[in-house]
Amino acid sequence: MTKKYVYGKPICTDAVLTKIEAEQGTVPYGKIATENGFEFAYQMDADDIVYGLGEANRGINKRGYCYISDCADDPEHTEDKRSFYAAHNFIAIAGKETFGLFFDYPSTITFDIGYTKIDMLRVSCDEANLNLYVIEGETPYEIVKQFRKMIGRSYIPPKFAFGFGQSRWGYETKEDFREVLQGYRENHIPLDMIYMDIDYMQDFKDFSLNEKEFSDFPAFVQEMKENHIRLIPIIDAGVKIEDGYSVYEEGVAGNYFCQREDGSNFVGAVWPGPVHYPDFLKEEARKWFGDQYRFLTEQGIEGFWNDMNEPSIFYSEESMEETKALLKELAEDDSKDLPVWVLMGKLGSLANSHEDYKRFYHDIDGEKVCHEKVHNLYGYYMTRSAGEAFERIDPDKRFLMFSRSSYIGMHRYGGIWTGDNKSWWSHLLLNLKMLPSLNMCGFLYAGADLGGFGADTTEDLLMRWVALGVFTPLMRNHAAKGTRKQECYQFEHIKDFRSLIEVRYRLIPYLYSEYMKAALTDDLYFKPLAFVYPNDEQAVRIEDQMMLGNEIMIAPVYTQNAKGRVVYLPEEMKFIKFLADGVITEKILEKGYHFIEVALNEVPLFVRKGKCIPVAAPTETVDELDEETIELIGYEGASYELYTDDGVGKDYENPEHYKMLKMEE
């Protein structure tokens, strides 16, 4: 059962689709204070677990730290960071009382979960203008599924999006892309997508192509498709200010950009230099920007990734003028009394400043609203702009779409990648722990930059990360310009990368089936062990293993130089290991703790007792997968319900997509 409590005058976010009438009484859990902003306070029991918050730092259980929903372009995801690229304000408390809370508030909101006081949960924001949803159920899993139904069906990508993708900031010419294609194909490493970062654009302008390097672009897109490769270009939020640039001129003429309080268009700066920011919260602007995607879809493009949409602001006109004034003051100060660190602090705070977020406004149904009050909606509504446009461009076709910044509700229009991570072992573990939390908030199509985006990866780190990526719906290797090249063919043990990625393709029948079932039934693709084994005290506290779908448990290795790892089995399971030579080993292990050996070129998984999964023959592309090669592995006599469709259309509920497979006794 869900109850809705309305405080002040909430801004409509469209995060919740289910119509729920507002309650007049008091919230049945904790205490609410609205005298000075808004605060929810709840006394936690010593054994309470707090789930949720989607893309957030630390573990599956969010107790013991402070998290701030404030979409931030900050790639330094160290353990002390409180804000990431997304804002997912849902939590579920499990313990002496079990209930869920969704704080539908699109500005900065703080979740102090046993940080200030170890037994206190405090959720607070500056203004008491929000909708609070209280969800009751017997288990956190039940609460999560109720919440998922409230917020609507998760985005469903095309089937090719379950293939492996290669990306790098720095692919600048057709030959760069052909080199990547050749590197994978001649080494027979599976690949379905190559991503285009900002260098494909003309002067970093959205919906443009580098005129010198990407002439006759439709022919190049077709050339790649003939090699079973989809090109996936990036789209940034800021629109370059440049006379003669049609997107800029249309935006100005249509009054589609965010404005200052005086009605002039706000000017910030990102990769192209000075830019305006589309007002995605304005319906007409959202439609206008969404229709711009036609420029690329009409040339054969079938997928995109939206970036810089927190929005990222390197500086604004105002902040740059302030900095210049400070520099002048420092230069003219003969007494040298002005500390240098004042200047350093000013320069360090130029980017993504809340002072800048206060300087521009949105038009929401004719009302002027300061951006800071709706900051966390910007990336969501940019991707909504694209998702709604795809329904107009080709309503019967699925497009690949994922975004860096997001808010609950965006999960209906696209997936997410977790942004600019680093080539750190700690980020491999963070990636693993974040997956079920993202699913709880509706984001099923999710993944991280395998190998790490920033810093230099190592061969062993990339192998271990690819072995985790085998299971994530979005599986992409991505790296920053200036870092070590990390395409899989750049390393010594190319055949080992081939065998790891082949496992992904062998498992696609299972992974795709479980994704579709989760999306169509508002369920989870990744689940904490606690959701499946709630009465097992050992399983409830485990955070580095998780359930995938309804048949398997995964337990990746995430430690440097490790020969394997310890796993806990909540029940008897069959230990499956995909070896480098293509052999699949199977061994039944009893309930309890086990040390499993896993080489760098192997992929482990565990099939639950009495269950089985489908495995196909390896291929180099999703297009070439052959269902006739499927065999079942697991327990004899077990059955599996396979979901299979054309991977393009939207007749999801067609019963013909389901096929029952059974292992021989």
Side-chain angles (χ1 to χ4, degrees):
M1 181 174 69
T2 301
K3 297 179 180 179
K4 175 182 177 181
Y5 299 85
V6 180
Y7 299 91
K9 296 181 178 179
I11 291 170
C12 178
T13 67
D14 286 337
V16 174
L17 294 184
T18 303
K19 184 173 177 56
I20 301 171
E21 297 297 328
E23 299 283 331
Q24 299 302 316
T26 58
V27 173
Y29 306 97
K31 295 180 180 179
I32 302 286
T34 57
E35 294 79 21
N36 184 24
F38 173 89
E39 181 181 84
F40 170 86
Y42 179 75
Q43 183 86 29
M44 294 185 290
D45 188 71
D47 292 328
D48 283 356
I49 294 175
V50 180
Y51 298 103
L53 294 184
E55 185 183 317
N57 211 345
R58 304 206 174 199
I60 295 174
N61 182 356
K62 294 299 187 288
R63 280 194 73 155
Y65 199 56
C66 183
Y67 311 85
I68 301 176
S69 286
D70 177 25
C71 296
D73 177 8
D74 178 359
E76 301 295 327
H77 296 165
T78 48
E79 195 173 337
D80 61 321
K81 288 299 168 69
R82 301 184 181 188
S83 302
F84 280 5
Y85 293 106
H88 303 149
N89 304 337
F90 167 72
I91 56 175
I93 295 90
K96 64 175 181 179
E97 296 178 301
T98 298
F99 60 98
L101 301 168
F102 174 46
F103 299 85
D104 194 3
Y105 182 76
S107 188
T108 303
I109 183 167
T110 299
F111 292 79
D112 183 334
I113 309 178
Y115 171 74
T116 302
K117 290 186 63 178
I118 199 166
D119 59 351
M120 284 299 298
L121 164 64
R122 293 186 185 275
V123 183
S124 58
C125 49
D126 288 342
E127 296 185 359
N129 296 311
L130 72 156
N131 291 316
L132 170 59
Y133 296 85
V134 180
I135 309 167
E136 296 181 310
E138 294 185 2
T139 67
Y141 186 24
E142 180 182 318
I143 288 165
V144 166
K145 286 194 286 187
Q146 286 188 59
F147 177 63
R148 292 286 310 284
K149 289 186 184 298
M150 287 168 47
I151 60 177
R153 176 177 291 173
S154 295
Y155 160 76
I156 296 176
K159 194 169 185 177
F160 74 75
F162 287 81
F164 177 63
Q166 179 62 57
S167 184
R168 183 176 178 85
W169 175 21
Y171 296 155
E172 298 179 351
T173 69
K174 291 179 183 177
E175 289 309 310
D176 290 336
F177 290 90
R178 289 175 177 138
E179 180 182 323
V180 173
L181 171 62
Q182 180 181 354
Y184 276 92
R185 289 290 184 255
E186 69 182 12
N187 288 292
H188 302 289
I189 305 172
L191 185 73
D192 269 274
M193 292 158 285
I194 305 178
Y195 290 82
M196 308 182 79
D197 212 315
I198 56 176
D199 295 302
Y200 81 90
M201 302 177 188
Q202 182 66 48
D203 302 322
F204 306 129
K205 293 183 291 190
D206 279 340
F207 310 111
S208 73
L209 292 161
N210 183 301
E211 296 164 1
K212 176 184 177 183
E213 302 297 343
F214 292 99
S215 60
D216 198 8
F217 189 60
F220 181 57
V221 173
Q222 183 59 32
E223 173 191 329
M224 286 289 163
K225 284 186 181 179
E226 288 171 358
N227 286 280
H228 301 279
I229 293 292
R230 267 82 170 189
L231 295 173
I232 311 296
I234 196 171
I235 302 294
D236 283 352
V239 172
K240 182 176 174 63
I241 298 171
E242 180 182 278
D243 291 338
Y245 170 37
S246 63
V247 180
Y248 161 71
E249 292 183 339
E250 288 175 14
V252 171
N255 200 26
Y256 296 141
F257 294 123
C258 294
Q259 298 180 340
R260 300 183 179 96
E261 192 168 15
D262 65 6
S264 63
N265 289 327
F266 173 75
V267 179
V270 280
W271 301 119
V275 298
H276 291 324
Y277 292 89
D279 185 358
F280 296 115
L281 278 72
K282 183 178 183 179
E283 186 174 359
E284 299 89 340
R286 194 162 66 244
K287 181 179 185 302
W288 161 75
F289 192 87
D291 284 340
Q292 302 301 317
Y293 286 83
R294 290 181 187 272
F295 171 76
L296 290 163
T297 61
E298 289 175 352
Q299 299 186 69
I301 293 298
E302 299 176 75
F304 302 87
W305 47 308
N306 285 345
D307 196 12
M308 308 295 286
N309 54 359
E310 292 69 35
S312 181
I313 303 175
F314 292 171
Y315 60 85
S316 68
E317 279 190 338
E318 292 85 347
S319 65
M320 186 54 71
E321 288 303 314
E322 293 170 359
T323 303
K324 289 178 180 178
L326 186 61
L327 279 168
K328 183 179 180 182
E329 181 182 351
L330 183 63
E332 295 174 352
D333 183 10
D334 294 332
S335 67
K336 308 299 182 186
D337 287 338
L338 186 65
V340 174
W341 59 80
V342 173
L343 175 62
M344 293 175 65
K346 180 63 179 176
L347 292 173
S349 63
L350 268 179
N352 309 310
S353 164
H354 273 270
E355 291 306 309
D356 280 339
Y357 293 148
K358 294 174 183 176
R359 289 181 168 123
F360 64 97
Y361 291 77
H362 296 271
D363 180 347
I364 303 178
D365 298 326
E367 181 182 353
K368 185 182 288 187
V369 178
C370 179
H371 172 79
E372 192 171 53
K373 294 182 183 296
V374 292
H375 172 67
N376 292 335
L377 296 182
Y378 197 79
Y380 158 22
Y381 272 68
M382 179 186 181
T383 300
R384 177 175 179 174
S385 173
E388 291 172 340
F390 297 152
E391 290 295 321
R392 298 190 295 272
I393 291 169
D394 193 340
D396 298 321
K397 179 179 179 178
R398 304 180 223 171
F399 288 83
L400 173 59
M401 167 55 70
F402 57 90
S403 170
R404 188 168 77 176
S405 183
S406 61
Y407 184 88
I408 290 169
M410 200 207 81
H411 70 285
R412 300 190 297 269
Y413 302 99
I416 62 172
W417 97 101
T418 53
D420 297 346
N421 59 6
K422 291 293 184 70
S423 298
W424 297 340
W425 289 91
S426 61
H427 277 187
L428 168 55
L429 178 57
L430 180 60
N431 178 193
L432 174 64
K433 291 185 176 183
M434 200 183 288
L435 292 168
S437 300
L438 288 168
N439 278 205
M440 293 177 204
C441 295
F443 294 94
L444 298 186
Y445 191 76
D449 289 340
L450 304 180
F453 175 74
D456 291 327
T457 197
T458 60
E459 187 168 13
D460 58 339
L461 173 58
L462 181 57
M463 281 192 185
R464 290 300 193 198
W465 217 326
V466 167
L468 167 59
V470 161
F471 300 106
T472 59
L474 170 59
M475 185 186 186
R476 181 178 78 151
N477 177 337
H478 184 41
K481 184 179 290 189
T483 63
R484 177 184 188 179
K485 291 184 177 181
Q486 64 184 53
E487 295 85 3
C488 294
Y489 55 81
Q490 302 284 3
F491 297 90
E492 180 182 0
H493 297 95
I494 294 174
K495 67 180 186 303
D496 290 337
F497 283 103
R498 180 194 309 130
S499 65
L500 290 172
I501 298 173
E502 280 181 348
V503 175
R504 164 60 167 226
Y505 282 70
R506 299 186 75 179
L507 288 173
I508 283 177
Y510 177 70
L511 303 178
Y512 183 74
S513 288
E514 293 306 300
Y515 185 97
M516 295 301 295
K517 292 173 191 175
L520 297 176
T521 61
D522 301 314
D523 206 338
L524 305 182
Y525 177 87
F526 288 113
K527 294 185 279 286
L529 268 62
F531 282 20
V532 179
Y533 305 99
N535 299 318
D536 186 324
E537 293 182 4
Q538 301 293 319
V540 165
R541 297 289 170 175
I542 287 176
E543 300 208 348
D544 61 354
Q545 304 169 206
M546 61 195 59
M547 312 307 296
L548 190 165
N550 296 303
E551 285 75 23
I552 72 172
M553 181 183 77
I554 66 169
V557 178
Y558 53 84
T559 307
Q560 186 174 5
N561 297 321
K563 299 298 184 183
R565 58 162 293 172
V566 173
V567 297
Y568 174 71
L569 305 187
E571 62 176 324
E572 175 196 297
M573 293 185 180
K574 183 168 279 193
F575 175 36
I576 306 293
K577 193 158 60 169
F578 292 83
L579 306 184
D581 59 3
V583 171
I584 301 174
T585 65
E586 304 182 37
K587 181 181 180 181
I588 291 178
L589 298 179
E590 298 300 318
K591 175 181 177 178
Y593 287 94
H594 302 267
F595 180 83
I596 60 167
E597 292 187 358
V598 183
L600 287 172
N601 56 12
E602 297 173 346
V603 178
L605 62 84
F606 299 84
V607 176
R608 297 178 63 190
K609 185 176 182 180
K611 297 184 181 293
C612 64
I613 64 171
V615 176
T619 60
E620 292 186 33
T621 69
V622 171
D623 293 339
E624 296 169 317
L625 282 170
D626 184 358
E627 287 183 21
E628 296 301 317
T629 68
I630 286 177
E631 59 181 84
L632 297 173
I633 58 173
Y635 284 85
E636 294 180 359
S639 298
Y640 180 76
E641 187 176 45
L642 181 74
Y643 183 99
T644 181
D645 60 14
D646 65 6
V648 177
K650 297 179 180 178
D651 61 334
Y652 305 125
E653 284 84 5
N654 188 335
E656 294 183 3
H657 296 331
Y658 294 89
K659 181 189 300 183
M660 188 62 69
L661 307 177
K662 185 177 175 62
M663 282 191 73
E664 295 182 1
E665 296 285 352

